[in-house]
Amino acid sequence: MLSTYPKVAVSGSAGQIGYALLFRLASGQLLGDACKVSLSLLEIPQAVGTLDGVQMELQDCAFDTLADVKKTADAETAFGDADFIFLVGARPRGPGMERKDLLQANAAIFSAQGKAINAVAKRTARILVVGNPANTNCLIAQQNAPDMPPEAFSAMTRLDHNRLLAQLAQQSGQAVADIRRAIIWGNHSATQYPDIHHATIDGQAALDVVDEDWYRNQMLAAVQQRGAAIIKARGASSAASAASAAIDHMRDWALGQKVAEDYLSMGLVSNGEYGVQNGLVYSYPVQCAGGKATVVEGLEHNDFSAEKMQTTEKELQEERDAIRNLLP
Ligand code: NAX
């Protein structure tokens, strides 16, 4: 029997981000208290047993927003008729593994999942790739799903965006809610470009509030390296903050952003905006309304920004070239 509730599929649901994400999805934090959701958990066969425990815990929360939970190791079963697809599961870097090997191993996963999405997902589904390297994994899934609209696919840079907001709030002593129009450009990696040239803090230009030297010489690196700092301190990579950003991303995309004039950051398939090569999955400033995410165009850049935007684009081109064999 088909579920009549929105179906939310999560790959890698026995992992640490999955564990933080599922309970928030089940408790109405994606679509609100008035909407039940049906959860579809995807894992590799060896980890499906672990999902029994996760399912029991979900049941034991007695959420009135949770319609049902299904577990599977089959991507088509997981994604069939899904409205929201969170692609979190990915291969972590193993001992002695080069970056290129990691790209290849993940490209194999995401090309298979792209094909499964193409075969069975609703054409209106929204897909968010979290598993790293997120932008290039998204590119490969999207290219393997030619019957899906390219704008159905996105890669997560919302965590980087939220990290940027947190840094600015801390430095300026203002509330996160008073900061607007911060932007992450490019790749979810250390080459990403956190840009505050268009941002405001409590209505004032951000660069009139915080020191430009601090921004260029400390804050940029702090945001770019935040994931590594968390691994060093916690002994494990960001999980709860990543799950929180994933919910922010999907909720704003589906239901619209909270503040109409703000910018959010999303990795989207480039249509050449800002001179970025067509087809790359590049993080842009976006505005979400009416169920759509639209790239904000027409922003002017100084030489500092232009150079950083090109550096991160170049890395994305290199990643794409390393997995070209898996592009159709
Ligand atoms: P974990 O290793 O805890 O969990 C990953 C899970 O994915 C495992 O349970 C594994 O069995 C499963 N998996 C692997 N291959 C799969 C496949 N083919 N189908 C279904 N499931 C599969 O990692 P976790 O900490 O949860 O992180 C998941 C991914 O998110 C990693 O690639 C990580 O690098 C990435 N991140 C991305 C972020 C972003 O902002 N885009 C930030 C956080 C995080 O680093």
Side-chain angles (χ1 to χ4, degrees):
M1 192 180 76
L2 285 178
S3 165
T4 52
Y5 301 108
K7 176 171 170 177
V8 184
V10 179
S11 80
S13 43
Q16 50 152 7
I17 295 176
Y19 193 70
L21 181 60
L22 294 174
F23 294 84
R24 296 192 55 180
L25 293 170
S27 60
Q29 293 187 37
L30 177 64
L31 297 174
D33 289 347
C35 186
K36 287 190 189 214
V37 294
S38 177
L39 287 182
S40 169
L41 316 186
L42 177 67
E43 259 298 345
I44 53 173
Q46 308 88 293
V48 172
T50 309
L51 291 181
D52 291 339
V54 176
Q55 182 178 35
M56 284 188 258
E57 282 205 77
L58 282 164
Q59 285 165 347
D60 294 350
C61 290
F63 292 127
D64 54 13
T65 41
L66 181 59
D68 59 77
V69 181
K70 297 205 169 59
K71 304 157 293 188
T72 180
D74 178 65
E76 291 197 9
T77 306
F79 302 148
D81 283 321
D83 298 282
F84 298 91
I85 301 178
F86 291 80
L87 297 181
V88 180
R91 175 94 183 269
R93 194 189 287 241
M97 217 173 170
E98 297 291 329
R99 184 174 168 78
K100 199 160 186 236
D101 302 330
L102 185 73
L103 275 162
Q104 281 286 337
N106 278 299
I109 293 174
F110 285 82
S111 70
Q113 294 188 347
K115 288 188 175 85
I117 287 169
N118 200 52
V120 298
K122 282 186 181 168
R123 293 320 179 224
T124 51
R126 290 183 175 80
I127 300 144
L128 168 60
V129 177
V130 174
N132 277 322
N135 298 53
T136 298
N137 288 342
C138 182
L139 169 87
I140 199 157
Q142 183 266 320
Q143 298 256 317
N144 279 283
D147 301 331
M148 295 290 292
E151 58 271 19
F153 287 84
S154 63
M156 190 165 92
T157 52
R158 185 63 175 263
L159 177 55
D160 309 294
H161 182 98
N162 288 347
R163 287 168 172 166
L164 174 53
L165 297 181
Q167 290 286 323
L168 283 175
Q170 211 174 7
Q171 182 73 7
S172 64
Q174 301 285 333
V176 165
D178 291 329
I179 302 170
R180 306 262 186 272
R181 300 192 164 188
I183 304 167
I184 302 293
W185 298 94
N187 201 1
H188 167 68
S189 77
T191 68
Q192 64 175 267
Y193 173 43
D195 180 8
I196 64 168
H197 290 86
H198 309 279
T200 59
I201 302 179
D202 201 18
Q204 269 188 280
L207 281 167
D208 290 342
V209 179
V210 299
D211 181 52
E212 188 154 5
D213 281 344
W214 170 80
Y215 163 62
R216 288 192 180 198
N217 300 319
Q218 291 184 51
M219 199 215 71
L220 277 183
V223 174
Q224 289 167 331
Q225 306 292 341
R226 184 70 162 185
I230 287 168
I231 292 175
K232 190 159 174 243
R234 205 174 88 86
S237 57
S238 329
S241 55
S244 190
I247 301 233
D248 288 347
H249 175 120
M250 277 292 203
R251 187 201 53 227
D252 288 344
W253 190 6
L255 305 181
Q257 62 193 53
K258 286 183 191 148
V259 180
E261 69 270 20
D262 204 359
Y263 301 159
L264 307 171
S265 303
M266 282 171 81
L268 293 174
V269 177
S270 170
N271 291 308
E273 297 92 342
Y274 296 97
V276 173
Q277 195 170 30
N278 267 301
L280 287 178
V281 174
Y282 191 91
S283 179
Y284 283 115
V286 299
Q287 292 187 309
C288 293
K292 286 168 70 171
T294 307
V295 175
V296 176
E297 296 201 65
L299 299 177
E300 306 262 331
H301 295 114
N302 59 19
D303 291 348
F304 179 82
S305 293
E307 192 198 322
K308 299 238 172 291
M309 287 166 66
Q310 281 162 16
T311 302
T312 190
E313 180 188 0
K314 186 161 171 283
E315 184 183 46
L316 285 168
Q317 288 169 339
E318 287 165 5
E319 288 187 8
R320 181 206 49 205
D321 292 346
I323 51 84
R324 232 183 231 290
N325 59 316
L326 282 161
L327 294 177

